[in-house]
């Protein structure tokens, strides 16, 4: 736009605060990403478990093989951990806490989780998992993108680490509270 003028009474938060408004929507948006990733991971998990029962190799169903059982365990534990992180981040946002650390955690952990779970499902399917005969190849491409869009993992890792280290430096010896945080630690 060129030469657009907005009357002062129509400005949101005030002049020069547009970036602040844009940043404010990122936290809830990243929770939405995490919820979508959980849905994709759960779909891949279902496909993987069904395949383990329906495919036989080396004299029995894949479901009886210990390494395949490890895929189930690892995927389940990652999905559940990400669910809890996502719920905690949403609770922070709902309570008025910007949850910057929690949002950064789910952005990185959630993107890794969905990638890992889909990768294991593809491994269980073998070459068929790479074809368009299942939704897994498309899901895998989208899972890889998740580690880049809305800020690459490295940016979120650095941001979270800086926030934690600043709190340790400025807190008179108090460490990170892994339970519920009080208002003093929020933001």
């Amino acid at each position: 736009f060129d030469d657009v003028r907005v009357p002062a009474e129509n400005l949101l938060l005030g002049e020069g605060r547009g970036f602040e408004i844009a940043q404010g929507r990122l936290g809830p948006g990243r929770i939405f990403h995490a919820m979508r990733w959980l849905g994709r991971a759960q779909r891949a998990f279902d496909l993987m478990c069904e395949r383990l029962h329906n495919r036989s190799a080396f004299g029995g169903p894949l479901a009886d093989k210990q390494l395949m059982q490890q895929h189930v365990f690892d995927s389940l534990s990652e999905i559940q951990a990400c669910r809890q992180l996502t719920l905690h981040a949403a609770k922070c946002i709902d309570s008025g806490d910007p949850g910057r650390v929690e949002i950064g955690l789910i952005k990185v952990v959630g993107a890794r989780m969905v990638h890992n779970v889909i990768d294991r499902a593809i491994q269980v399917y073998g070459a068929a998992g790479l074809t368009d005969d299942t939704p897994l190849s498309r899901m895998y491409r989208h899972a890889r993108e998740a580690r880049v869009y809305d800020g690459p993992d490295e940016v979120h890792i650095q941001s979270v680490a800086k926030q934690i280290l600043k709190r340790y430096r400025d807190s008179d010896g108090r460490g990170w509270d892994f339970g519920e945080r009080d208002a003093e630690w929020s933001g």
Side-chain angles (χ1 to χ4, degrees), residues 128-175:
L130 298 172
T131 69
D132 290 335
D133 292 341
T134 74
L136 293 171
S137 66
R138 180 184 43 81
M139 291 167 69
Y140 190 75
R141 286 190 304 275
H142 290 300
R144 184 60 183 95
E145 295 165 357
R147 296 190 50 214
V148 178
Y149 64 69
D150 221 4
D153 288 359
E154 294 81 0
V155 170
H156 292 283
I157 290 167
Q158 181 181 25
S159 174
V160 168
K162 282 182 175 180
Q163 291 174 71
I164 297 298
L165 292 170
K166 181 181 185 303
R167 289 179 186 173
Y168 270 82
R169 184 189 67 222
D170 298 345
S171 70
D172 297 327
R174 284 183 37 199

Side-chain angles (χ1 to χ4, degrees), residues 36-183:
R36 200 174 62 249
W37 299 334
L38 285 164
R40 286 184 185 155
Q42 290 171 12
R43 175 70 174 125
F45 183 80
D46 290 343
L47 289 167
M48 178 178 66
C49 290
E50 290 167 10
R51 178 72 169 188
L52 289 172
H53 282 294
N54 296 329
R55 179 81 171 149
S56 290
F58 304 105
L62 289 178
D64 292 345
K65 311 301 183 217
Q66 287 181 348
L67 183 57
M68 298 296 107
Q69 293 166 358
Q70 182 76 48
H71 287 338
V72 172
F73 178 88
D74 290 344
S75 297
L76 178 66
S77 64
E78 288 180 22
I79 291 168
Q80 284 296 83
C82 190
R83 277 186 73 246
Q84 293 304 310
L85 286 171
T86 303
L87 289 169
H88 182 68
K91 184 178 178 182
C92 288
I93 295 287
D94 285 348
S95 72
D97 178 343
R100 289 182 185 99
V101 167
E102 291 78 7
I103 297 296
L105 283 172
I106 63 167
K107 172 58 174 80
V108 174
V109 172
R112 287 178 180 173
M113 174 277 303
V114 71
H115 182 270
N116 292 345
V117 172
I118 295 168
D119 186 65
R120 289 184 198 107
I122 289 173
Q123 195 67 23
V124 165
Y125 269 82
L130 298 172
T131 69
D132 290 335
D133 292 341
T134 74
L136 293 171
S137 66
R138 180 184 43 81
M139 291 167 69
Y140 190 75
R141 286 190 304 275
H142 290 300
R144 184 60 183 95
E145 295 165 357
R147 296 190 50 214
V148 178
Y149 64 69
D150 221 4
D153 288 359
E154 294 81 0
V155 170
H156 292 283
I157 290 167
Q158 181 181 25
S159 174
V160 168
K162 282 182 175 180
Q163 291 174 71
I164 297 298
L165 292 170
K166 181 181 185 303
R167 289 179 186 173
Y168 270 82
R169 184 189 67 222
D170 298 345
S171 70
D172 297 327
R174 284 183 37 199
W176 178 257
D177 181 2
F178 284 90
E180 299 298 320
R181 293 187 293 132
D182 57 32

